[in-house]
Amino acid sequence: MYIFITKCTYRSSVPGTLLFRRMISSSEVATALRPFYFAVHPDLFGRYPQQRQVNEDSLKLLSAHLESLLSQKRILPSTPRTLPFYIRASNAPQDRGTFNLVKVPLERTVDTKLVLRKILESCNLSTEFVDKMPAAKHSSLSSAASSTHEDGFQQQYQQSFYYRKRSEYNFGKDEEADNQDDSPFEKEFDLFQFRIKKVRENETLKKWLRKQVVTATVRTKAVQELQEEVEKLREDVTKRLGLREIIYDCGWNVEHFRGCLKSLEKLAELHPGALDGLKDRTVVFAAFTGVSLEGHVMLFTGDVQRNWLELIKTIDKHDSYLRKLPAYEYALSQVLRNIRIGRRKFMPKAQAMAYASHLRKITTALLDYLGKSKFPTSWPMDLSQFELVVESEAGPLMVSPTGQLIVPATCPGSLLVDFLTNHLAEALEKQSSYDRQKHIERDLHARCVAQFRLLSLTKDDSVTPDRMIECLEKLLAKGLKDGLELADLNLTITTYYSVLTDGTVCIPWDWKQ
């Protein structure tokens, strides 16, 4: 989303005059932040959903901040002082899965140039364009003309400020009409996406594997020794702290996992006895610090050891929310005629404390609705065959591919009831389809691992069962015939071609022959 704004007028403290100030234009903002957008844009993190979500959320907050800054010359009270962004450690192929977490500062000032400069400097990006921006210019106008200028600005601002998000399907269409509004970054990024799309359309799996299989094999063998070291370190830390298990759910490479294990080991050495609260628990290195819905202790890989220690010391507080979850879920189920309260099958991990708050909000919204209205007569008296999933406040309102009814915690009662009324049949159909497909997928998975002699076969959460089935059936039907070289490889089914730093081979589910 981009910000478009023209020049703005402000009243002077001197009666009878109007201060006229040149504002930074949309193209100047877009050009200044172009290298930043290319470094953090969520579309560049398709293989890493956690990093993608963090960058997407931060970009929304940044956009709101710039909107307020440029249009109203004020800072929103809700604007955080820093925004987290993930940036690739380097552009080298071997570092493709390695990221740095950068805290981008949002200066508490209406000086737009300073804000832009600090954003770029925090990511070690050039500020040359920002430094060359002209300084603000002032001039005075008579007060008789002030209302005309202010009214004109308001009208022009309302017409020119908007958010846009272009689709790859309209690339090149209405180009003449779009040229005036498209920022330089938007045009350049569209071209970038278009080129990637064209390369993928012309790539076949056999041709791509022929070029990449040696690289994948070399990387797989090179990382085996490191994996053995990490596995030994994991066993040692697990035994030393009396843990049930240590899981790595971060998406980064194995070297980062080793660093996390060493940090936890060092923490135990510096604070003997302070980690007793972890005994007989599962520790997960993840994208946040807290306690998950499964009761796992989640440690954010980008946090300092002090934050880990604070969580471990207050783990009883998190456990108290965890113990309340069944009661909250039962209450919501009773309000919605015994509907099953589930967890999204492919959703990111969530904190127990936040989830408890989400359940309370949605239950209160439904009770408020029932205080004024009744459920539709078309509803079954019992909804236990359906499954409802409550997600974050900014979550979707949808039927998942597995047949679950996904609702955000802030959904009003009337909107939720209307959504359920219109989608109960769809949910049953998808649920039935998924129940059939998951058994077919498991069978095809086992056959592919055996026939191609794979070390492992996994898939991204974005690949639904029907897509996975289509991919595996095509592999079994065409792969052996075409002589695809997959032996002794770790294969992941996703939406793109790539060889990760640990040798994992990623192929799109809709690969072409």
Side-chain angles (χ1 to χ4, degrees):
M1 53 185 70
Y2 307 99
I3 296 172
F4 295 83
I5 188 166
T6 56
K7 55 189 179 181
C8 177
T9 57
Y10 297 91
R11 290 193 180 278
S12 169
S13 58
V14 180
T17 64
L18 184 70
L19 185 63
F20 186 70
R21 174 174 294 178
R22 179 196 181 280
M23 296 294 292
I24 293 177
S25 68
S26 61
S27 60
E28 286 175 317
V29 171
T31 302
L33 292 181
R34 184 190 304 167
F36 173 74
Y37 287 138
F38 271 115
V40 304
H41 199 284
D43 288 350
L44 303 177
F45 294 79
R47 177 69 178 87
Y48 309 96
Q50 294 169 347
Q51 286 76 16
R52 176 190 176 97
Q53 188 63 50
V54 169
N55 284 14
E56 188 172 310
D57 293 343
S58 294
L59 279 175
K60 291 177 183 177
L61 292 173
L62 177 60
S63 177
H65 176 64
L66 291 176
E67 171 195 345
S68 177
L69 192 65
L70 294 178
S71 65
Q72 304 176 31
K73 274 293 182 181
R74 74 184 186 93
I75 300 170
L76 295 173
S78 59
T79 300
R81 292 187 176 274
T82 61
L83 290 175
F85 284 98
Y86 282 103
I87 295 180
R88 294 186 183 278
S90 75
N91 292 324
Q94 63 270 22
D95 295 330
R96 192 165 296 166
T98 304
F99 306 96
N100 294 327
L101 180 66
V102 178
K103 296 298 181 71
V104 174
L106 296 182
E107 294 295 319
R108 319 306 281 186
T109 175
V110 294
D111 185 347
T112 309
K113 284 185 62 175
L114 178 59
V115 173
L116 296 177
R117 183 183 294 110
K118 291 296 184 180
I119 291 173
L120 295 170
E121 287 177 347
S122 66
C123 301
N124 295 321
L125 298 171
S126 173
T127 61
E128 182 179 357
F129 182 84
V130 176
D131 295 334
K132 291 181 179 179
M133 283 183 177
K137 298 179 181 179
H138 304 77
S139 64
S140 60
L141 299 174
S142 67
S143 59
S146 65
S147 60
T148 304
H149 282 283
E150 288 182 358
D151 293 342
F153 163 71
Q154 291 295 337
Q155 181 179 5
Q156 191 174 22
Y157 168 73
Q158 289 172 4
Q159 292 173 351
S160 63
F161 175 75
Y162 59 93
Y163 294 105
R164 299 185 62 208
K165 182 176 181 180
R166 293 179 64 181
S167 163
E168 62 178 352
Y169 301 106
N170 69 354
F171 181 85
K173 295 181 181 179
D174 299 326
E175 184 175 355
E176 216 171 278
D178 286 343
N179 277 342
Q180 293 181 348
D181 292 331
D182 284 354
S183 70
F185 165 72
E186 186 173 356
K187 294 175 184 176
E188 197 164 331
F189 191 74
D190 275 344
L191 183 60
F192 173 69
Q193 289 181 310
F194 179 73
R195 287 173 177 168
I196 291 178
K197 184 171 179 286
K198 283 297 182 185
V199 170
R200 179 179 166 183
E201 286 176 351
N202 298 327
E203 190 75 272
T204 65
L205 179 58
K206 185 175 182 180
K207 180 180 178 182
W208 183 83
L209 280 175
R210 189 180 297 118
K211 293 185 295 184
Q212 302 294 337
V213 69
V214 174
T215 300
T217 303
V218 170
R219 290 182 181 178
T220 300
K221 291 181 178 178
V223 83
Q224 281 180 349
E225 184 176 338
L226 178 60
Q227 287 175 331
E228 292 174 0
E229 177 190 343
V230 169
E231 193 57 38
K232 184 178 183 304
L233 180 59
R234 187 205 315 234
E235 292 177 0
D236 291 343
V237 175
T238 300
K239 183 177 180 180
R240 176 176 179 176
L241 298 180
L243 302 176
R244 184 179 302 171
E245 187 181 7
I246 297 179
I247 299 174
Y248 189 63
D249 187 21
C250 178
W252 293 14
N253 57 32
V254 67
E255 291 183 359
H256 192 69
F257 185 22
R258 178 177 60 179
C260 293
L261 289 170
K262 287 187 175 296
S263 293
L264 187 58
E265 186 179 44
K266 186 68 173 178
L267 189 64
E269 294 174 356
L270 294 174
H271 303 276
L275 305 190
D276 290 345
L278 295 179
K279 287 184 178 179
D280 200 32
R281 309 217 30 167
T282 297
V283 170
V284 182
F285 294 113
F288 68 88
T289 295
V291 175
S292 73
L293 305 186
E294 297 78 20
H296 298 165
V297 179
M298 316 295 281
L299 301 179
F300 177 36
T301 57
D303 262 350
V304 295
Q305 292 182 2
R306 182 184 61 190
N307 291 347
W308 289 2
L309 189 60
E310 288 177 357
L311 167 68
I312 296 169
K313 288 181 177 179
T314 60
I315 204 166
D316 289 342
K317 178 181 178 181
H318 292 265
D319 284 344
S320 66
Y321 281 95
L322 194 64
R323 289 190 291 269
K324 295 176 183 177
L325 291 184
Y328 288 144
E329 291 181 332
Y330 178 77
L332 178 56
S333 175
Q334 291 300 296
V335 172
L336 275 177
R337 296 184 177 178
N338 297 318
I339 197 169
R340 289 180 287 122
I341 309 301
R343 313 278 168 78
R344 195 169 177 179
K345 291 180 171 61
F346 304 118
M347 70 181 291
K349 300 296 183 181
Q351 292 197 58
M353 191 180 298
Y355 182 58
S357 174
H358 297 158
L359 291 172
R360 289 197 303 267
K361 286 182 180 179
I362 200 74
T363 304
T364 301
L366 283 169
L367 289 174
D368 289 343
Y369 172 85
L370 290 175
K372 303 173 183 178
S373 307
K374 295 182 179 180
F375 289 141
T377 56
S378 61
W379 279 24
M381 292 305 297
D382 183 80
L383 297 178
S384 59
Q385 58 185 324
F386 301 97
E387 189 171 39
L388 184 78
V389 176
V390 180
E391 290 199 342
S392 66
E393 297 180 354
L397 187 64
M398 59 176 281
V399 180
S400 76
T402 62
Q404 294 175 309
L405 296 155
I406 314 295
V407 299
T410 53
C411 183
S414 57
L415 183 61
L416 174 57
V417 170
D418 184 63
F419 169 74
L420 294 178
T421 303
N422 296 324
H423 293 86
L424 288 179
E426 179 187 352
L428 271 185
E429 181 182 348
K430 288 187 174 181
Q431 190 179 112
S432 177
S433 175
Y434 174 73
D435 289 339
R436 295 192 307 268
Q437 290 175 341
K438 66 182 180 182
H439 299 292
I440 299 174
E441 181 183 341
R442 290 170 186 168
D443 178 63
L444 292 172
H445 182 281
R447 289 171 57 191
C448 279
V449 170
Q451 290 194 28
F452 290 103
R453 293 182 289 122
L454 296 168
L455 295 178
S456 67
L457 175 59
T458 56
K459 69 173 183 177
D460 274 353
D461 290 347
S462 59
V463 180
T464 53
D466 57 325
R467 290 180 172 182
M468 188 66 171
I469 289 172
E470 179 183 336
C471 175
L472 298 183
E473 286 179 339
K474 192 161 57 172
L475 274 176
L476 291 170
K478 308 291 184 181
L480 293 176
K481 178 182 177 182
D482 292 345
L484 296 181
E485 301 174 6
L486 296 171
D488 299 322
L489 293 178
N490 296 295
L491 182 66
T492 294
I493 309 302
T494 179
T495 57
Y496 54 86
Y497 287 107
S498 181
V499 178
L500 305 184
T501 56
D502 60 359
T504 299
V505 174
C506 301
I507 65 171
W509 65 271
D510 55 347
W511 56 272
K512 295 177 175 58
Q513 288 182 266

